[in-house]
Amino acid sequence: MLWAFKPYMDLFPQLKASPYVYSFCEKRVFQHRRLYYRFREVYRKTFMLRKSLRDVSPLVPVIFASGWEGREDPSFIIEEKKKIVELFRPSDEVVKSVEALMVKHADTCYVGVHIRRGDYKDFFDGRFYYELPYYYSLMEQMYQLLHHTYRSVIFVICSNEQFDVTSPELLSTVTFSGENILRFEQAGAITDLYALSQCDYLLGPPSTFSQWASFYGNGKLCFVKNRHTVLHMDDFKVVERYESPFKEFRQYWKGKIL
């Protein structure tokens, strides 16, 4: 049985309907979190807490598995990927809205561009807060790499900031047109996440958001780690397991744990 906070469960109908998932609390309020940690400490002291989901046994009636500690076990995640993907399938409304605009064709390539702004202005002292023209220069690089192979290259832009994706100022710096750009206007985070997961390639600053999209949909991901990135197709890989996208930058972030 997995205990999950209700705000997350409401976003994933399959998760909510699963008999193995229990809604821990209506809101992430302090009182409920205290109860959660009390259970955790009891299980730890009685040796019922397991750091790896592999240690869970059906012969033991009560086990508290801390999945976060075991998140980097690649073999377990790969084995159970199909179940994970099914469990976290968004609502039919989200799926249909994305698939209606992202029609799959062999000669069409979708490139997901995760433009993380907003909170990234302060995160890591703005290390990954890139200006919009820089994102469009990356898109131009991708266009040059792909347009000889595919009849159509479509950039799916997802961002936590509103801006005109087809503004003349931005398009003046690239060789493709506004017809090559797709954005789900007024979409929520889950719609953007699912749209990214349906892309063939993904690029953006280090983020677990695009990392999950690659894992979920098998799109090849490349993290843009600086303002001088030169893209190569060999840099794009499918995410098969969780690994902190910020691990190599920890020394720069004032000692905070990521």
Side-chain angles (χ1 to χ4, degrees):
M1 178 179 291
L2 170 68
W3 283 16
F5 290 109
K6 189 175 182 299
Y8 293 125
M9 292 182 63
D10 289 340
L11 300 173
F12 303 99
Q14 301 302 320
L15 186 68
K16 194 172 184 178
S18 172
Y20 305 108
V21 181
Y22 175 73
S23 177
F24 181 64
C25 59
E26 294 293 318
K27 298 179 181 178
R28 301 182 77 178
V29 295
F30 180 69
Q31 290 82 356
H32 292 285
R33 291 174 67 84
R34 283 178 56 188
L35 178 62
Y36 165 81
Y37 289 116
R38 285 181 182 233
F39 270 115
R40 182 185 174 95
E41 285 307 305
V42 168
Y43 292 144
R44 187 189 303 276
K45 292 177 181 178
T46 55
F47 302 102
M48 288 194 293
L49 178 66
R50 300 292 185 266
K51 288 188 176 182
S52 172
L53 294 176
R54 286 189 177 280
D55 295 333
V56 175
S57 169
L59 301 179
V60 181
V62 179
I63 287 291
F64 193 95
S66 182
W68 182 251
E69 283 82 354
R71 67 193 182 279
E72 296 187 11
D73 180 351
S75 60
F76 179 81
I77 293 175
I78 292 172
E79 289 174 14
E80 301 298 330
K81 180 172 181 176
K82 184 177 180 181
K83 293 180 182 179
I84 295 172
V85 169
E86 291 175 354
L87 198 60
F88 286 93
R89 187 178 190 273
S91 67
D92 290 341
E93 180 182 1
V94 169
V95 172
K96 290 178 181 178
S97 67
V98 170
E99 295 181 351
L101 295 181
M102 295 180 65
V103 181
K104 297 286 187 176
H105 293 292
D107 58 354
T108 299
C109 180
Y110 289 98
V111 180
V113 184
H114 182 209
I115 300 182
R116 185 71 175 264
R117 302 265 290 171
D119 58 328
Y120 265 34
K121 189 172 186 178
D122 298 315
F123 182 65
F124 255 105
D125 296 324
R127 186 183 186 90
F128 308 117
Y129 185 79
Y130 307 135
E131 299 301 325
L132 294 177
Y134 179 57
Y135 279 103
Y136 275 66
S137 71
L138 295 169
M139 291 160 63
E140 175 64 19
Q141 287 189 53
M142 284 298 290
Y143 185 73
Q144 294 302 325
L145 289 170
L146 295 170
H147 83 280
H148 295 296
T149 304
Y150 296 93
R151 181 178 179 182
S152 179
V153 178
I154 304 297
F155 295 99
V156 181
I157 293 182
C158 299
S159 177
N160 57 345
E161 184 175 278
Q162 291 296 320
F163 64 93
D164 183 3
V165 297
T166 58
S167 73
E169 182 180 357
L170 291 173
L171 290 179
S172 67
T173 63
V174 298
T175 58
F176 54 87
S177 70
E179 294 181 354
N180 295 86
I181 299 176
L182 171 63
R183 183 174 187 180
F184 292 84
E185 299 295 339
Q186 307 301 319
I190 298 302
T191 299
D192 278 351
L193 189 60
Y194 186 70
L196 288 176
S197 76
Q198 298 305 293
C199 293
D200 302 291
Y201 296 94
L202 298 160
L203 62 89
S207 170
T208 53
F209 195 83
S210 51
Q211 193 177 46
W212 170 259
S214 173
F215 172 80
Y216 187 92
N218 295 317
K220 295 182 178 181
L221 169 67
C222 176
F223 282 138
V224 179
K225 300 177 180 179
N226 56 61
R227 292 175 171 80
H228 310 286
T229 298
V230 177
L231 298 174
H232 302 281
M233 298 311 296
D234 290 342
D235 296 329
F236 289 81
K237 308 290 183 183
V238 176
V239 173
E240 297 288 356
R241 52 167 286 183
Y242 172 82
E243 184 174 350
S244 173
F246 311 106
K247 183 180 295 185
E248 63 188 277
F249 302 102
R250 286 185 176 182
Q251 58 180 310
Y252 300 106
W253 205 49
K254 301 177 182 178
K256 295 182 180 180
I257 299 176
L258 296 174

